[in-house]
Amino acid sequence: MAIMTNRRKLLAGLGSSVLLAGCDSWSRNERVREILASAEGLTMRAQRLITDREALAREFTLAEISPRFRANGSRTAETAQGRDYQEMLANNFADFRLQVDGLVQRPLSLSLADLRSMPSRTQITRHDCVEGWSAIGQWKGTPLSRILDLAGLRDNANYIVFHCADTYGAQNRPYYESIDLIDAFHPQTILAYDMNGDVLPEAHGAPLRARIERQLGYKHAKFVMRLEAVESFDNIYGGKGGYWEDVGDYAWYAGI
Amino acid sequence: MARDDTEPQPGELVKRHRISTRLWHWTNAIAIIVLLMSGLSIFNAHPRLYWGSYGANFDEAWLEIYSEDDRGYLEIGDWRWDTTGVLGRWTEPDGDISTRAFPHWSTIPGYYSLATGRLWHFFFGWIFVLAGLAYWFWSFGNRHVQRDLAPKRKELSLRHIWHDIKDHARLRFPTGAEALNYNILQKLSYLIVLFVLLPLIVLTGLTMSPTMNAAWPWLLDIFGGRQSARSIHFIVAFLITGFIAVHLIMVVLAGPYNEIRSMITGRFRLPKEKAPKAAPATDTPAEESA
């Protein structure tokens, strides 16, 4: 501990005056933040360069599942598709319809029964939160590629936006997320309706949660109500492609 | 460093560090400090460490920093230290109490923001990796590694290493032309940092990336899972911090003006022979007195 204390004193002495004061005002400076964030594009391009399009996230065995999977972010929603979320939940989302629209040839409205009757994928994967923790769980759902093939994307569609029923933060902003077509058509990208062998629980985003297995947790939108195919997400909410991207300057491509 | 045919004399100003070493040293110094401090910011988002693939609040942590009953604690395994004021519970500059793990003066930014910590961390991560790779290739190419860092056979004898440890303990530093060569403890520390710690911290960092896990799944196998990699990343960061602390202490003890000048301008004034001390000369091995 003595060495640690010395180091701290040294760093405190050297740092607090020059470095820290500098870094804090720089941290709040828009121009500096833009320069720092420019590394995100480099990171995404580098990761995409060395990662095969179809490269799978590791899948685990039943024995490796976390004893308790922590729920994070919104644990519930107020309203869903204009109705009370709790009523829909009590009704097993019988009236729920997943809307698929935007730049598609055939807009869709799919019930949970429709989704369950489609081919499914089951995967035991690790969920990595941007905060640093990980939990392993089993997810079963409809591959997003199946839904998109059914709807038929138009040529100018570049991104898929997940519109969610939950709101977050003091301002109750609607949660949303977006991914590009590489991740949208990735074999492990599914809309999960089951978790660990049971129906997806409320705290984990019932009725549908996106699984984007090669990215961090905040990309895995919960309470998914609507898929929208878009050319760009410039005009959607804050324009950065996701809730945390808009409010917190988190990276749109959450590969690291 | 490289010696001329005519041996330089004590007191003479001689060339010591190449431009490649000097450029990398300072680029890396800035990058490492920003990485360490922004890394603590990121750690503060979840101040618990685990072994294995998964690990979250309901799982057992081997290291945890937390606040309880108005005190701050660091817990490692079964051991717990009261770290109130420094870790787990400390006072912010405006007088407010924070229960974050690492205090404001040790993090970038000095206020809690995971997203901002990540912005700094990944920007300087690129600088650190690219500068490190350039230095690696450059230093093999100009034979800096082979000539100046690789230990000679006789230096690796236990007798020589023990002699060097005693010299360090007595703060007896080489003088004259001898001061131009790295001693064996320096060589070993630099080699461990360059070829063990720095690669380890990059690879464990990449192992935390879900995309990299898909691209290079062997990363998960060599480190025993993502949460193990996160733990090793943190441990290596502290070993690097320890190296920096010892490095700075040695610079101060060896003569900070001359040492820092040599890392900026490349020129180093050879230390003069000190007046012989009362210490017996018999502990000098024969090969050294030649």
Side-chain angles (χ1 to χ4, degrees), chain A residues 109-168:
Chain A
S109 176
L110 302 167
S111 69
L112 274 185
D114 293 336
L115 289 169
R116 283 183 181 275
S117 69
M118 289 169 72
S120 68
R121 192 179 199 283
T122 305
Q123 59 206 31
I124 301 175
T125 51
R126 203 191 58 227
H127 181 86
D128 300 324
C129 180
V130 67
E131 293 170 348
W133 53 269
S134 307
I136 296 177
Q138 185 192 51
W139 307 94
K140 181 184 180 189
T142 313
L144 184 59
S145 60
R146 295 271 179 175
I147 301 170
L148 297 180
D149 284 342
L150 209 60
L153 288 182
R154 292 184 190 275
D155 289 343
N156 53 345
N158 293 326
Y159 303 97
I160 305 299
V161 180
F162 301 91
H163 293 276
C164 307
D166 60 318
T167 58
Y168 204 75

Side-chain angles (χ1 to χ4, degrees), chain A residues 60-105:
Chain A
F60 297 85
T61 64
L62 281 168
E64 292 169 292
I65 289 179
S66 292
R68 219 173 137 185
F69 198 114
R70 174 182 170 183
N72 205 35
S74 304
R75 268 77 158 178
T76 188
E78 291 274 311
T79 51
Q81 303 189 325
R83 277 159 293 181
D84 181 63
Y85 177 82
Q86 291 302 330
E87 267 176 38
M88 288 188 93
L89 180 71
N91 199 18
N92 296 322
F93 296 97
D95 304 325
F96 166 79
R97 294 289 181 275
L98 175 71
Q99 304 298 322
V100 185
D101 53 28
L103 300 173
V104 295
Q105 277 144 9

Side-chain angles (χ1 to χ4, degrees), chain B residues 47-170:
Chain B
R48 296 161 58 86
L49 294 174
Y50 314 88
W51 296 115
S53 294
Y54 64 80
N57 302 54
F58 304 118
D59 306 306
E60 196 188 326
W62 68 267
L63 181 148
E64 189 181 0
I65 297 170
Y66 61 98
S67 174
E68 193 179 272
D69 300 334
D70 293 349
R71 310 294 300 171
Y73 295 102
L74 164 67
E75 199 170 295
I76 301 178
D78 294 334
W79 296 19
R80 188 170 92 153
W81 294 270
D82 187 327
T83 51
T84 310
V86 184
L87 302 175
R89 194 178 173 89
W90 39 271
T91 311
E92 288 176 22
D94 60 10
D96 287 351
I97 296 290
S98 170
T99 54
R100 296 273 171 201
F102 284 93
H104 65 94
W105 48 259
S106 69
T107 61
I108 292 178
Y111 54 93
Y112 177 72
S113 169
L114 171 59
T116 310
R118 283 167 57 84
L119 284 178
W120 285 99
H121 205 71
F122 297 129
F123 183 88
F124 280 88
W126 274 107
I127 292 179
F128 167 74
V129 167
L130 295 178
L133 284 176
Y135 177 74
W136 258 22
F137 287 117
W138 207 338
S139 297
F140 276 110
N142 68 15
R143 301 190 54 78
H144 176 44
V145 174
Q146 300 93 315
R147 195 164 42 199
D148 305 319
L149 290 173
K152 310 236 176 339
R153 188 175 292 271
K154 66 166 190 178
E155 291 178 322
L156 284 174
S157 76
L158 283 177
R159 205 165 99 114
H160 181 87
I161 294 176
W162 177 238
H163 174 73
D164 209 30
I165 292 173
K166 284 193 293 186
D167 273 359
H168 273 81
R170 291 170 185 161

Side-chain angles (χ1 to χ4, degrees), chain A residues 1 3-4 7-12 14 16 19-20 23-24 26-28 32-33 35-40 42-43 46-48 50-52 55-58 60 64-71 126 128-136 213-216 218 248-251 253-256, chain B residues 33-34 36-37 40 42-43 45-46 50 53-59 74 81 83 86-87 102-116 118-120 122-124 126 130 205-218 220-221 225-227 230 238 241-242 245 248:
Chain A
M1 286 309 281
I3 289 173
M4 265 168 67
R7 179 190 71 90
R8 295 242 161 72
K9 280 185 183 144
L10 196 68
L11 272 181
L14 275 174
S16 57
L19 195 71
L20 291 190
C23 282
D24 278 3
W26 288 350
S27 289
R28 291 191 169 97
V32 172
R33 294 180 76 90
I35 293 169
L36 293 175
S38 66
E40 283 170 4
L42 183 60
T43 304
Q47 291 201 328
R48 279 282 165 79
I50 61 168
T51 312
D52 193 87
L56 297 181
R58 171 153 297 183
F60 297 85
E64 292 169 292
I65 289 179
S66 292
R68 219 173 137 185
F69 198 114
R70 174 182 170 183
R126 203 191 58 227
D128 300 324
C129 180
V130 67
E131 293 170 348
W133 53 269
S134 307
I136 296 177
E213 303 291 0
R214 299 186 298 185
Q215 296 199 45
L216 296 174
Y218 63 86
D249 250 352
Y250 282 90
Y253 185 74
I256 190 161
Chain B
I33 288 171
V34 173
L36 287 170
M37 298 177 73
L40 294 184
I42 297 170
F43 177 86
H46 188 73
Y50 314 88
S53 294
Y54 64 80
N57 302 54
F58 304 118
D59 306 306
L74 164 67
W81 294 270
T83 51
V86 184
L87 302 175
F102 284 93
H104 65 94
W105 48 259
S106 69
T107 61
I108 292 178
Y111 54 93
Y112 177 72
S113 169
L114 171 59
T116 310
R118 283 167 57 84
L119 284 178
W120 285 99
F122 297 129
F123 183 88
F124 280 88
W126 274 107
L130 295 178
L206 291 176
T207 311
M208 284 186 264
S209 148
T211 297
M212 291 307 302
N213 287 173
W216 296 347
W218 48 267
L220 291 166
D221 298 320
R226 182 182 194 246
Q227 289 301 320
R230 183 168 175 263
F238 267 78
T241 308
L248 291 179

Side-chain angles (χ1 to χ4, degrees), chain B residues 154-220:
Chain B
K154 66 166 190 178
E155 291 178 322
L156 284 174
S157 76
L158 283 177
R159 205 165 99 114
H160 181 87
I161 294 176
W162 177 238
H163 174 73
D164 209 30
I165 292 173
K166 284 193 293 186
D167 273 359
H168 273 81
R170 291 170 185 161
L171 303 180
R172 199 188 291 160
F173 297 109
T175 54
E178 194 58 39
L180 281 180
N181 296 318
Y182 290 134
N183 59 61
I184 186 63
L185 293 187
Q186 272 179 302
K187 286 184 179 180
L188 291 177
S189 351
Y190 291 148
L191 287 173
I192 288 171
V193 170
L194 272 176
F195 298 108
V196 180
L197 298 186
L198 298 190
L200 257 184
I201 205 142
V202 172
L203 291 175
T204 50
L206 291 176
T207 311
M208 284 186 264
S209 148
T211 297
M212 291 307 302
N213 287 173
W216 296 347
W218 48 267
L219 284 171
L220 291 166

